[in-house]
Amino acid sequence: SSSVETFRDAVAASPMPTLGSDAEQSLPASLDAPAIHVPRPTVLRGPGGVASGFPHTPVGAVAQLAEIDQTALMGMSVQTARDVYVAWALPGGVGPDRWVITGNVSSFVSTLARSGAGTSSDVSVAPAGGQVKATDGPDWVIACVLLDVRVTVRVEARLGYGHCERMQWSDGRWQLAPGVPPARPRPIAPGSEAAVKDGWLTWTTP
C-alpha cells in the first residue's frame, strides 16, 4: 500500500548518524564496543557465486548484504558487479548499471587507468561492522554493512566503506529490494571510536 511505501521511503532517505568526530577516526574503539553477532552462510556458492543460506532475521539480511558486497567488489570488475546485482535484485530496482556498487567499481577502474597503473591491483574486502537501520515486519529490512576495503597498487590504501540497502525476503532468501536507495553512510575508519558512535556494531561471527 502507499502508506507502507511512504514509510519505507522515509526511513530509507533519513540520514545515517554522524556522531563520532574526525579525530576519533584514529582512536581504536574500546574493548567493550557493542557487537553484531552475524551467522555464517550455509550455502557457500549461491546465485551469482555469492554465499547464502542466512536466516530470516534482520541480522540475516545484514549478513547476506555483506556477502553480496564482498563478491561484487572483490575482483573490482564492472561485469562481476553487474552479474551479482542481476542474481540478487528483485524487479523494479535501480538496475545493474545504476547500482551504487557497480558505480564504485567503475570509478575505481577508471581511476586506476588514469593513474597509469593499468588495472592490476590487489583487493581485499571484509565486513568490519554492521547495523540494522530499520525494519518493517519480518520480510523487509534496511541493512547496513561497514566494509574494510584494502587496495594495493604499489602502495596499500585502506578505506572504510559503508553501504545500506533495502532487503526483502523472497524465494527463501534475502534479496535487494526495489525503491529509492537508502542514504549512504559516510566513509569511516573501521574499528574506530567514531565508527562506534555512528552506530556501527563490531562484526563478529561464531
Side-chain angles (χ1 to χ4, degrees), residues 92-182:
V94 293
D97 290 320
R98 291 182 57 211
W99 187 35
V100 61
I101 297 289
T102 309
N104 288 335
V105 171
S106 179
S107 25
F108 173 78
V109 171
S110 56
T111 302
L112 264 190
R114 280 199 307 274
S115 73
T119 52
S120 61
S121 62
D122 212 7
V123 181
S124 75
V125 183
Q131 57 181 299
V132 175
K133 185 183 181 188
T135 59
D136 181 16
D139 295 336
W140 191 90
V141 173
I142 294 184
C144 301
V145 292
L146 177 61
L147 299 167
D148 187 350
V149 182
R150 299 176 191 227
V151 181
T152 306
V153 189
R154 302 194 190 102
V155 294
E156 183 183 77
R158 182 185 182 196
L159 63 124
Y161 173 72
H163 177 217
C164 297
E165 284 284 351
R166 300 158 79 119
M167 303 289 284
Q168 192 166 318
W169 185 263
S170 179
D171 295 331
R173 59 186 172 120
W174 287 107
Q175 299 190 57
L176 304 173
V180 179

Side-chain angles (χ1 to χ4, degrees), residues 3-202:
S3 61
V4 169
E5 276 313 309
T6 302
F7 167 76
R8 291 178 176 180
D9 286 346
V11 294
S14 65
M16 299 289 284
T18 53
L19 303 177
S21 70
D22 287 344
E24 287 170 319
Q25 293 224 39
S26 59
L27 295 175
S30 57
L31 291 174
D32 56 353
I36 183 168
H37 298 282
V38 185
R40 292 190 181 277
T42 56
V43 178
L44 292 182
R45 268 190 82 78
V50 176
S52 64
F54 292 103
H56 188 180
T57 62
V59 173
V62 173
Q64 186 62 76
L65 178 60
E67 292 293 344
I68 289 169
D69 284 354
Q70 286 180 96
T71 305
L73 287 167
M74 192 58 85
M76 284 294 168
S77 150
V78 171
Q79 190 57 51
T80 299
R82 286 188 187 123
D83 292 345
V84 167
Y85 178 90
V86 168
W88 284 89
L90 292 166
V94 293
D97 290 320
R98 291 182 57 211
W99 187 35
V100 61
I101 297 289
T102 309
N104 288 335
V105 171
S106 179
S107 25
F108 173 78
V109 171
S110 56
T111 302
L112 264 190
R114 280 199 307 274
S115 73
T119 52
S120 61
S121 62
D122 212 7
V123 181
S124 75
V125 183
Q131 57 181 299
V132 175
K133 185 183 181 188
T135 59
D136 181 16
D139 295 336
W140 191 90
V141 173
I142 294 184
C144 301
V145 292
L146 177 61
L147 299 167
D148 187 350
V149 182
R150 299 176 191 227
V151 181
T152 306
V153 189
R154 302 194 190 102
V155 294
E156 183 183 77
R158 182 185 182 196
L159 63 124
Y161 173 72
H163 177 217
C164 297
E165 284 284 351
R166 300 158 79 119
M167 303 289 284
Q168 192 166 318
W169 185 263
S170 179
D171 295 331
R173 59 186 172 120
W174 287 107
Q175 299 190 57
L176 304 173
V180 179
R184 295 185 197 178
R186 64 171 174 164
I188 200 157
S192 65
E193 191 60 35
V196 172
K197 288 191 175 174
D198 280 12
W200 291 108
L201 303 173
T202 304

